[in-house]
């Protein structure tokens, strides 16, 4: 997969709305139809949001791909939890994933906590790093930097995204528990945006993918509604493995807060991200230690593959976090 964002030409009216809003000028109109330039697209999903004719979409994996593996693991992004109204227990969602066909679940939020632990240790180690350090968590932002702000590439934090770390850990755990070969186990992320779909097949900074595919939150959400209502809340399997620090990565500022005691700036929305990168490139933000940048409004809860309003989703996520411990996972250098 080169890009998950694609155009349905029969729906396109050549209205140029997508051209006016594309942050990397990756779209042209030719013969009355829009065309996406693969070498400029960063899969931010802006065109998906603004197209008045619904001619742009993100192509995700089909659930039929689960049949290709003897054992499957779901990696739900914490943004998934904020899509459900009146949800008071993350285990309801995680058990629901087992009901719709997955054999196991590994929370991306758990990997986010490990990543945060690594960041805290890295900060206190005294290792020299270009300042300010820029978060590597949003694939769209990383692709944007590589294209428009190459001088800032050294400032990107030297860590993989939580979904990739979760995939590595989940596969290792599944091999140990099942005795199956790694390629017999399918590990799939459940993601909020098109950039993460693309990253699951064409990761930035890795030689080869560690994920076997990605499903859109909106598609999984629809599949979960029925099974979740039928679950007996008194007999749920205790699957939740992440705390506040991990689940907080669902919205902008959550990653920064989990680093603790750093001067940070958290920015959401692709246009705001671009302005911030311009300021960093010009040296106008010297007092910040860390810059958290998210292409979507309010962060991952505002991804183009989510269901709910990002502001409402953020509120629900925070409500869920009140019932969680601070953290359940630590970074172990061994």
């Amino acid at each position: 997969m080169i890009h998950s964002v694609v155009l349905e030409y029969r729906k396109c009216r050549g209205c140029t709305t997508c051209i006016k809003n594309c942050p990397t000028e990756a779209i042209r109109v030719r013969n009355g139809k829009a065309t996406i330039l693969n070498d400029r697209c960063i899969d931010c999903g802006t065109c998906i949001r603004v197209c008045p004719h619904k001619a742009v979409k993100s192509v995700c994996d089909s659930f039929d791909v689960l049949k290709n593996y003897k054992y499957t693991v779901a990696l739900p992004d914490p943004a998934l939890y904020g899509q459900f109204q009146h949800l008071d227990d993350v285990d309801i969602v995680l058990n629901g994933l087992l009901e719709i066909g997955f054999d196991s679940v590994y929370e991306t939020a758990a990997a986010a906590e490990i990543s945060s632990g690594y960041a805290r240790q890295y900060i206190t180690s005294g290792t020299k790093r270009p300042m300010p350090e820029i978060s590597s968590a949003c694939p769209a932002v990383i692709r944007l930097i590589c294209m428009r702000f190459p001088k800032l590439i050294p400032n990107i934090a030297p860590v993989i995204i939580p979904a990739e770390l979760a995939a590595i850990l989940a596969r290792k755990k599944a091999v140990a528990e099942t005795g199956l070969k790694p390629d017999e186990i399918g590990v799939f992320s459940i993601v909020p945006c098109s950039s993460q779909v693309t990253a699951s097949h064409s990761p930035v900074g890795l030689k080869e993918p560690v994920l076997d595919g990605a499903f859109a939150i909106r598609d999984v959400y629809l599949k979960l509604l029925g099974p979740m209502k039928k679950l007996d809340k008194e007999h749920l399997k205790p699957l939740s493995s992440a705390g506040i620090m991990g689940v907080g990565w669902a919205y902008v500022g959550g990653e920064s807060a989990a680093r603790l005691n750093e001067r940070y700036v958290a920015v959401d929305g692709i246009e705001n991200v671009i302005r911030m990168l311009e300021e960093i490139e010009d040296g106008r933000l010297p007092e910040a230690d860390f810059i958290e940048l998210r292409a979507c409004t309010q962060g991952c809860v505002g991804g183009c593959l989510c269901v709910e309003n990002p502001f409402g989703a953020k509120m629900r996520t925070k409500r869920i976090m009140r019932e969680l411990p601070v953290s359940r996972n630590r970074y172990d250098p061994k």
Side-chain angles (χ1 to χ4, degrees), residues 163-203:
E164 292 168 346
L165 176 58
I168 294 169
L169 297 175
R171 195 183 303 275
K172 183 178 180 181
K173 180 182 177 183
V175 168
E177 292 179 348
T178 65
L180 295 171
K181 297 177 182 178
D183 59 0
E184 295 177 319
I185 298 168
V187 182
F188 299 89
S189 56
I190 299 171
V191 300
C193 68
S194 48
S195 72
Q196 290 202 43
V197 175
T198 301
S200 70
H201 293 278
S202 303

Side-chain angles (χ1 to χ4, degrees), residues 86 88-89 92 228-236:
H86 310 300
D88 57 5
D89 189 344
I92 297 174
M228 282 175 56
K229 290 180 181 179
K230 297 177 183 178
L231 286 171
D232 183 352
K233 295 184 179 181
E234 295 183 1
H235 297 90
L236 294 174

